[in-house]
Amino acid sequence: METLVINRVEEMYHHPDIALAIGFFDGVHQGHLAVINQMLEIAENKNLKKAVMTFDPHPSVVLNPEKKRTDYLTPLNEKKRIFSALGVDYLFIVPFTSRFAAMSEKDFIRDYLTNNHVKEVIAGFDFTYGKFGKGNMLKLAEDCQGFNVTTVSKKAINEEKVSTTDIREQLKAGHIKRANEQLGRPYKIAGIVVQGEKRGRTIGFPTANVMPDEDYVLPKLGVYAVTLKQNSTEEVYKGVCNIGYKPTFHDPSKSAVSIEVHIFDFSDSIYGERVEVYWHEFLRPEQKFSGIDALIAQINQDKEQAVQILRDIK
Ligand SMILES: Cc1cc2nc3c(=O)[nH]c(=O)nc-3n(C[C@H](O)[C@H](O)[C@H](O)COP(=O)(O)O)c2cc1C
Ligand SMILES: Nc1ncnc2c1ncn2[C@@H]1O[C@H](COP(=O)(O)OP(=O)(O)O)[C@@H](O)[C@H]1O
């Protein structure tokens, strides 16, 4: 997949004819996948290259500073990995600046679509474009020049619309299964294993401290059944994870959140390795224990519970 960051529109014109899926696509959830899959199918049928256009940062950073979104379900690199795996040929990343946001609908169509060898545009029913987001899919179908427009309808699960906002809320509430259902896969946070306080090994539960390498939405603080993929070996392990401040040892107002995974049946040193943590189920909120023995007893129970939950996951 070729990735182009579009600082000047002319930079994106040097490629063959394309079918283009457009959207912010945070989460690349089931609704987004319906759009991407539709684009892949149309491209295949019409013998066009497969392209995606997305924006960075989230439009709310420019348009709605009070509600600006700086953490993501799928930060940019994560989106790149997913699109590449889906077989996308070209990824256009359009910097979402005030200038871009102020562009007229007609200019957007001319510069970013018609002049960009776009023969097919595929987007979700709620896609908007141009100044004040006044352009919508109906308008796009009216004003299209040199391309066809396909609108992908709302994707729902149990009559609830699949949405990035809802997935974020479910994660923040610890409703991992509901978030995962909408994503169509387990929620994932990728990062590097860093040094911690070296206490884990002394209590019989060494924990890999995972420092996220991008701004991911963090799930509700607490303990989870997880799987962990070690990128260098592609090996996937089961484990139990605490995300929080470790209030037994620290004053939460003075410390940072850490993500710590105790991996079952594992004893390698993996400092500095890149890993992916997949979130499967919330077990309990984080607690302040009166002493180490009480914490150890609870972690033993957490582990047993996680082993049961993960039994059928490979
Ligand atoms: C499954 C699990 C559950 C945990 N639950 C709590 C908790 O409720 N409260 C707490 O203060 N620390 C909790 N911890 C964090 C431990 O305090 C932490 O892993 C330990 O201090 C080791 O830290 P280190 O890796 O920085 O050495 C938990 C850790 C694990 C692996
Ligand atoms: N079963 C395991 N689960 C997690 N990490 C393990 C395990 N066995 C060994 N390790 C290694 O030990 C480190 C965790 O030990 P710990 O005493 O908690 O140190 P730290 O406080 O630096 O995280 C991990 O980063 C990893 O390199």
Side-chain angles (χ1 to χ4, degrees):
M1 184 177 76
E2 191 177 335
T3 301
L4 297 104
V5 180
I6 307 306
N7 290 307
R8 293 171 46 250
V9 284
E10 299 77 24
E11 288 169 350
M12 68 180 166
Y13 297 159
H14 314 287
H15 56 78
D17 289 351
I18 55 176
L20 181 71
I22 315 183
F24 190 74
F25 298 130
D26 185 27
V28 202
H29 59 53
Q30 303 247 31
H32 300 145
L33 287 168
V35 174
I36 310 282
N37 286 330
Q38 180 76 265
M39 177 278 287
L40 296 175
E41 195 182 315
I42 291 174
E44 217 40 78
N45 290 340
K46 305 214 165 171
N47 208 13
L48 297 166
K49 290 286 181 190
K50 299 157 183 154
V52 172
M53 180 179 289
T54 193
F55 309 93
D56 180 57
H58 191 272
S60 63
V61 172
V62 169
L63 303 178
N64 193 351
E66 283 109 68
K67 287 197 184 162
K68 80 172 171 211
R69 200 170 271 180
T70 52
D71 54 357
Y72 302 104
L73 300 173
T74 49
L76 195 53
N77 285 323
E78 199 64 56
K79 280 200 278 199
K80 284 189 204 169
R81 283 190 283 273
I82 298 173
F83 294 145
S84 175
L86 287 170
V88 170
D89 298 306
Y90 296 98
L91 173 63
F92 301 109
I93 300 168
V94 176
F96 199 93
T97 58
S98 330
R99 203 156 68 102
F100 178 76
M103 183 177 273
S104 77
E105 293 137 64
K106 291 219 153 68
D107 285 357
F108 173 75
I109 290 177
R110 185 196 58 228
D111 290 350
Y112 288 80
L113 304 177
T114 308
N115 286 352
N116 189 25
H117 306 273
V118 175
K119 299 299 163 203
E120 300 282 340
V121 171
I122 301 94
F125 68 103
D126 55 357
F127 174 70
T128 57
Y129 61 97
K131 195 168 177 182
F132 306 127
K134 264 175 34 195
N136 56 28
M137 292 305 280
L138 282 174
K139 186 107 185 57
L140 187 63
E142 266 168 39
D143 294 347
C144 59
Q145 290 219 343
F147 57 87
N148 298 311
V149 174
T150 303
T151 304
V152 177
S153 57
K154 177 169 82 178
K155 171 98 191 169
I157 296 177
N158 301 329
E159 285 162 45
E160 297 274 342
K161 175 184 151 188
V162 173
S163 86
T164 302
T165 306
D166 193 54
I167 297 171
R168 294 168 69 93
E169 280 166 12
Q170 301 299 347
L171 290 174
K172 297 255 174 238
H175 300 150
I176 299 299
K177 283 188 143 178
R178 273 153 67 180
N180 289 350
E181 229 173 56
Q182 296 191 56
L183 286 169
R185 61 182 187 276
Y187 183 57
K188 156 179 154 183
I189 292 181
I192 303 289
V193 178
V194 298
Q195 308 264 349
E197 297 164 290
K198 307 281 179 288
R199 187 187 299 114
R201 65 196 68 182
T202 67
I203 63 173
F205 289 100
T207 52
N209 291 33
V210 180
M211 168 93 80
D213 53 13
E214 290 186 277
D215 289 325
Y216 287 89
V217 172
L218 299 183
K220 175 185 163 96
L221 301 188
V223 180
Y224 292 83
V226 299
T227 47
L228 178 142
K229 179 167 160 190
Q230 186 179 347
N231 284 39
S232 60
T233 57
E234 300 256 303
E235 202 73 51
V236 178
Y237 302 96
K238 297 177 183 182
V240 64
C241 174
N242 184 60
I243 171 166
Y245 297 101
K246 302 184 259 185
T248 308
F249 305 101
H250 299 285
D251 175 351
S253 68
K254 297 199 184 97
S255 53
V257 169
S258 60
I259 300 174
E260 306 190 30
V261 183
H262 171 67
I263 308 165
F264 305 153
D265 308 317
F266 185 85
S267 56
D268 294 354
S269 175
I270 51 168
Y271 289 122
E273 296 251 4
R274 196 160 183 288
V275 297
E276 297 173 351
V277 179
Y278 294 87
W279 305 76
H280 295 279
E281 207 165 312
F282 178 77
L283 305 183
R284 65 170 175 90
E286 195 179 36
Q287 270 171 262
K288 180 176 166 62
F289 289 93
S290 53
I292 289 188
D293 290 343
L295 172 67
I296 294 174
Q298 181 60 52
I299 297 181
N300 269 309
Q301 283 187 30
D302 297 336
K303 180 174 175 178
E304 262 176 52
Q305 212 184 330
V307 167
Q308 288 309 313
I309 289 168
L310 298 169
R311 209 178 34 223
D312 299 328
I313 289 172
K314 53 171 184 58

